[in-house]
Amino acid sequence: MSIALAVVTDAEAKTNRSRLARIGRDSGIVFLGNILDKLFGFAFTVGIAKLYGLRVFGLFLLGLTICQLGSLIFNLGFGNGLIRYVALYKKETPKLKGIIWTAGVLSVSLGVLLGLGLFLAAQPLVERFFANKARLVVVLQWLALTVPLSALSGIWVRTLVGLKHFKAQTYVRSVIEPGTKVGMALLLFLAGFKLEGLILAYVISTVAATVAAYYYYTATLRSRLKGVKPIFQFREFINYCWPLVLRNFISKATRRADVLLLGMFRNPLEITLYMFTLRMATLNTLIADAFEKAYSPHVPRLHAEGRLDELRHAFQTITKWTMLLSIPIFALLIVFPGVVIPVLGEQFMPAATALSVVAAAVCFSYAVGPSETALIMAGRPKVSLVIRIIGGLVTLGLNIWLVPQFGLIGAAWGFTGSVFVSNILAASIAYFDMNLHPVQRGYLKVLAAGALAIGVALALHPFLPANKYLALLALGLGYLVAYGGMLWLLGLDEEDKELARQSQLRLKALAHRQPVTSTPDMDVSRQ
């Protein structure tokens, strides 16, 4: 009996190691894609904007924003639903084909209706609300043609994400689409185009992304789905997705209540400072987003098969890894904003206290783990909707109460209150429903190392050089050395060491353009 149990335990441990290795690898791919996406976005927003001129670029962005608002339904609602059901049905080919076609019919149909409606409504919309921007009609009408294509490519890309093929998503969304957009905008500018060049660059990049998505999709699934009769699931899919659509609209609507109230009761300077605060406090989004996206496709099947111990172990590990990489940035933003902000501009110093408050809220949201994502992927979208409604009401209430009197810091506390309430609710429900929580020995070691390193940095702070750049460099290096030393003294888990080793191997492989071979214990073959 004991031998049999040992075998099972060893098999489970090996499965967990394989899954965590897969999540670690996939999160690295998503993280790289996020970085590339940000770089291309910066190049387009700053470089291309300077070439075409801020007025022309601003007109294009206005049209793009209007167009993207109409795309929220299939971008934010159907996407998560498709990822969940593809992950759930990946071994049941008729249902897999059925859910892909179900999502495709719904998403593309909405895309066609939205695109056609925007094309026809462009003229009266501009005349009614943007009378002094007649050229906006051309922008809206051309960009409306891309809405159905975006819906179609989204279906193919999210299907691959549900199957845990993250490289395709990175190539399409983070390399081909933005790279084509920047490259074509530059070529068309050199050819003498102005606003029309921006429009054509965007249309061409959308077509290129759609073609690339179709290529990766067919390369992965054509032979498997060919000749299979699909089992459609319209009712089930819609019942799952409608709370997500409503949830995301509520989230988008309430997220900017603080900015609107600052504009009504305070002054534009405080709006600028608050937006700076939010941008700085969410610097670690690249890290958390990568781990969360890599984790989410694993949730549906583990939950459906009742493998809650494995689900919890993966949850705990990605939360630990997120905090492991994020704590140094959070420590500087929360405890030492007065050292960080001057490097970016002395004019932002009035935001120091607000930055500490907002960064602490974001840090807390990462520390409790991706509870809401786990609930959504486990088939609880209505719970997520309720959480967002409560969080939205808290946001509105706190901002109405605090912003008129306290301005910037009032908006910061309104944001913080909403984040704490939403995450406590999500974490509590995930714990009672699936026994998900982040607490384990390795996680506590990471938190302890971060706290002890802050003590070292506080001791170092009075001796920092007067030069603001050298001060930030000295404080950052001092904290990293202390943090790394504390982690070494406390001891990392074996899975953390293996992740670091695999990351080192992959960096060497990229440098030498050689393939990486995993060790037997870290086999990441598809399951």
Side-chain angles (χ1 to χ4, degrees):
M1 178 69 72
S2 59
I3 294 175
L5 287 174
V7 171
V8 172
T9 302
D10 183 65
E12 290 177 350
K14 187 172 182 179
T15 300
N16 281 333
R17 287 196 298 270
S18 296
R19 180 176 299 105
L20 293 175
R22 178 68 180 272
I23 291 174
R25 186 193 69 180
D26 291 342
S27 63
I29 294 171
V30 176
F31 181 67
L32 178 61
N34 288 343
I35 292 176
L36 292 172
D37 191 50
K38 293 290 184 183
L39 290 175
F40 278 120
F42 180 82
F44 190 73
T45 303
V46 177
I48 300 300
K50 287 183 178 180
L51 287 177
Y52 281 84
L54 297 185
R55 288 184 179 274
V56 171
F57 193 77
L59 189 63
F60 170 78
L61 284 183
L62 178 59
L64 183 61
T65 300
I66 295 171
C67 184
Q68 289 176 337
L69 283 174
S71 304
L72 284 176
I73 293 177
F74 52 78
N75 281 337
L76 298 178
F78 293 158
N80 284 331
L82 183 57
I83 292 172
R84 178 182 186 271
Y85 282 106
V86 166
L88 198 60
Y89 297 144
K90 67 178 181 179
K91 295 182 180 180
E92 304 175 60
T93 305
K95 288 187 175 182
L96 175 63
K97 186 173 183 177
I99 202 66
I100 296 170
W101 284 29
T102 298
V105 169
L106 291 170
S107 188
V108 175
S109 298
L110 277 172
V112 170
L113 289 175
L114 289 169
L116 181 61
L118 183 60
F119 184 90
L120 297 175
Q123 185 78 37
L125 180 67
V126 171
E127 290 177 355
R128 176 68 177 83
F129 297 102
F130 307 98
N132 61 336
K133 298 179 176 65
R135 298 182 73 193
L136 182 60
V137 175
V138 178
V139 179
L140 289 176
Q141 288 181 335
W142 274 96
L143 295 187
L145 301 178
T146 67
V147 174
L149 291 178
S150 296
L152 190 58
S153 64
I155 292 299
W156 291 328
V157 167
R158 288 183 173 93
T159 296
L160 295 171
V161 170
L163 295 171
K164 307 185 185 80
H165 290 234
F166 287 93
K167 284 185 179 179
Q169 180 196 36
T170 299
Y171 292 146
V172 174
R173 294 298 187 218
S174 302
V175 179
I176 295 172
E177 186 173 19
T180 302
K181 183 169 60 179
V182 172
M184 290 306 302
L186 179 59
L187 289 175
L188 291 168
F189 174 80
L190 295 175
F193 289 88
K194 287 296 184 179
L195 179 61
E196 294 78 8
L198 286 172
I199 298 170
L200 282 174
Y202 186 84
V203 172
I204 292 170
S205 68
T206 303
V207 173
T210 304
V211 172
Y214 177 74
Y215 168 78
Y216 288 115
Y217 171 80
T218 54
T220 304
L221 286 172
R222 171 183 281 177
S223 60
R224 181 178 172 186
L225 299 183
K226 187 176 181 180
V228 175
K229 185 178 180 180
I231 299 176
F232 291 99
Q233 299 148 82
F234 285 101
R235 179 176 295 180
E236 181 180 1
F237 190 71
I238 291 173
N239 284 339
Y240 176 83
C241 289
W242 75 259
L244 294 181
V245 174
L246 186 56
R247 162 195 183 270
N248 287 305
F249 271 116
I250 290 172
S251 180
K252 291 285 184 180
T254 58
R255 191 177 296 171
R256 288 294 168 262
D258 39 19
V259 176
L260 293 175
L261 287 167
L262 282 171
M264 292 170 61
F265 294 104
R266 308 295 289 193
N267 57 70
L269 174 60
E270 291 196 65
I271 295 176
T272 303
L273 292 173
Y274 184 63
M275 294 306 296
F276 166 81
T277 298
L278 293 179
R279 294 276 185 177
M280 290 296 296
T282 55
L283 281 175
N284 287 327
T285 301
L286 290 175
I287 297 171
D289 180 68
F291 283 117
E292 188 171 322
K293 284 183 177 177
Y295 169 69
S296 59
H298 294 263
V299 176
R301 183 160 292 276
L302 290 176
H303 180 263
E305 295 175 355
R307 295 151 65 184
L308 297 185
D309 288 341
E310 297 175 48
L311 184 62
R312 182 176 64 255
H313 184 63
F315 180 92
Q316 291 173 335
T317 302
I318 67 160
T319 305
K320 177 182 61 176
W321 285 346
T322 299
M323 295 304 293
L324 177 69
L325 298 175
S326 300
I327 277 178
I329 297 177
F330 278 130
L332 293 178
L333 296 178
I334 296 171
V335 185
F336 304 104
V339 178
V340 176
I341 292 178
V343 174
L344 302 172
E346 298 286 350
Q347 67 269 33
F348 296 114
M349 274 304 294
T353 302
L355 178 57
S356 292
V357 173
V358 174
V362 177
C363 182
F364 174 78
S365 72
Y366 291 175
V368 299
S371 303
E372 193 171 355
T373 296
L375 289 170
I376 291 171
M377 288 295 145
R380 305 291 299 279
K382 292 179 183 178
V383 172
S384 178
L385 171 60
V386 172
I387 290 171
R388 287 305 172 105
I389 290 174
I390 294 173
L393 291 174
V394 171
T395 298
L396 288 173
L398 288 176
N399 278 290
I400 291 171
W401 176 33
L402 298 173
V403 168
Q405 183 176 357
F406 300 104
L408 171 65
I409 192 64
W413 280 112
F415 175 89
T416 300
S418 174
V419 170
F420 270 84
V421 169
S422 298
N423 279 275
I424 288 172
L425 282 173
S428 300
I429 296 169
Y431 175 75
F432 288 111
D433 188 45
M434 296 179 284
N435 196 26
L436 294 184
H437 62 85
V439 181
Q440 45 122 283
R441 185 177 60 181
Y443 173 81
L444 295 176
K445 288 180 182 179
V446 169
L447 296 185
L452 293 171
I454 288 176
V456 174
L458 286 171
L460 178 66
H461 185 261
F463 305 101
L464 293 177
N467 182 281
K468 59 185 179 182
Y469 300 103
L470 292 178
L472 179 59
L473 180 62
L475 183 65
L477 288 176
Y479 184 86
L480 286 175
V481 170
Y483 182 56
M486 296 299 175
L487 288 173
W488 181 77
L489 289 173
L490 294 171
L492 290 173
D493 296 343
E494 286 302 318
E495 60 199 20
D496 304 331
K497 295 177 183 177
E498 187 62 28
L499 176 68
R501 193 183 74 81
Q502 288 288 319
S503 300
Q504 186 178 16
L505 286 174
R506 292 185 187 283
L507 289 174
K508 289 182 178 179
L510 286 173
H512 297 88
R513 295 184 180 180
Q514 297 173 352
V516 178
T517 55
S518 298
T519 59
D521 282 347
M522 297 296 288
D523 178 25
V524 291
S525 58
R526 306 192 197 288
Q527 298 175 19

